[in-house]
Amino acid sequence: MRIVIAEDDPLLREGLALLLRAEALDVVATADTADKVLEAIDEHEPDVAILDVRMPPTHTDEGVRAAVEARRRRPGLAVLVLSAYVEQTFATELLTGGVSGLGYLLKERVGRVEQFLDALHRVASGGTAIDPEVVAQLFTRSRQDTRLERLSPREREVLALMAEGLGNSAIAGRLFVTDGAVHKHIRSIFAKLDLSPADQVDRRVAAVLHYLENARSRA
């Protein structure tokens, strides 16, 4: 896995690089500005880009804009965005291009090494890794959707964990229920969101996209 890191805090930037290299991952470049990271992505063609939301010169949304531009320039590039706190507008802006190979984590997750590495590998494999705090806020905004209102509280919990990128076994472990219970909840979610098995789509992806798209439309 070839990785580019963009972070203007030198301690965090070098700490991330050391952590990933210790895991035998190939950090091909680091950068402290959005412009530099885009140059590095063009030059090194990495598999994953890890970017801070706020970078010079204005420390507002340079990282998000760089992430969107990087995915435009290099389709299929996995992007993991780090933020000091939940910035809902930026999170939903990232979702405009779809959720495949996309992660949005709070920086505090980096200190939880196993969780961070799990999220990184999920994103690199084309999956999703959205911070639970981000998911919670997006879900709050999407509660007005009539189909989402059909879901029970437990089904909302399951769909939120699906949106984080967790598989059935991981969801079961998080909720302390059986895999079979999770499977039943997901079948019910599909039914309540009018997702038919006859549809030529991945219903799991469609359910998550419906949830995230609705949240984005209200951002």
Side-chain angles (χ1 to χ4, degrees):
M1 187 193 305
R2 293 164 55 80
I3 302 170
V4 166
I5 299 172
E7 166 61 59
D8 66 307
D9 182 332
L11 289 177
L12 181 54
R13 183 175 64 247
E14 295 309 314
L16 275 172
L18 286 172
L19 168 65
L20 297 176
R21 286 168 176 151
E23 294 293 323
L25 299 174
D26 187 9
V27 178
V28 296
T30 63
D32 58 3
T33 69
D35 288 342
K36 288 180 181 177
V37 76
L38 289 174
E39 291 174 3
I41 289 168
D42 288 340
E43 178 182 353
H44 296 283
E45 299 185 344
D47 303 301
V48 185
I50 301 175
L51 302 97
D52 184 14
V53 166
R54 297 177 180 268
M55 289 192 291
T58 68
H59 294 279
T60 55
D61 62 349
E62 284 87 353
V64 170
R65 297 195 181 283
V68 172
E69 175 62 16
R71 284 164 71 87
R72 186 193 68 79
R73 294 185 187 186
R74 185 168 167 75
L77 174 68
V79 171
L80 179 57
V81 175
L82 303 179
S83 179
Y85 49 89
V86 177
E87 302 185 75
Q88 194 170 58
T89 300
F90 296 162
T92 53
E93 182 177 353
L94 277 174
L95 300 174
T96 300
V99 297
S100 176
L102 178 65
Y104 187 104
L105 297 181
L106 296 182
K107 287 185 178 180
E108 65 185 45
R109 303 289 170 194
V110 177
R112 304 173 190 180
V113 176
E114 289 188 7
Q115 290 184 25
F116 173 68
L117 292 174
D118 176 65
L120 177 63
H121 284 289
R122 283 211 310 270
V123 169
S125 299
T128 305
I130 301 179
D131 196 281
E133 290 297 323
V134 176
V135 169
Q137 290 202 23
L138 291 175
F139 214 121
T140 298
R141 296 183 73 109
S142 61
R143 290 284 296 277
Q144 296 179 27
D145 180 271
T146 55
R147 284 187 292 176
L148 288 174
E149 281 296 323
R150 301 173 188 171
L151 305 184
S152 69
R154 176 62 88 182
E155 288 163 354
R156 293 192 187 106
E157 287 183 296
V158 171
L159 181 54
L161 293 173
M162 289 166 62
E164 286 181 37
L166 302 186
N168 287 16
S169 295
I171 292 173
R174 185 79 67 87
L175 298 179
F176 302 102
V177 298
T178 65
D179 285 8
V182 172
H183 182 68
K184 288 180 181 178
H185 287 311
I186 291 175
R187 281 194 305 176
S188 179
I189 289 168
F190 291 159
K192 291 179 180 179
L193 294 182
D194 300 325
L195 297 172
S196 168
D199 295 336
Q200 297 300 308
V201 297
D202 183 322
R203 290 190 295 168
R204 190 185 191 94
V205 172
V208 170
L209 284 175
H210 172 73
Y211 157 43
L212 295 175
E213 285 282 349
N214 184 74
R216 185 172 70 237
S217 70
R218 298 180 184 278

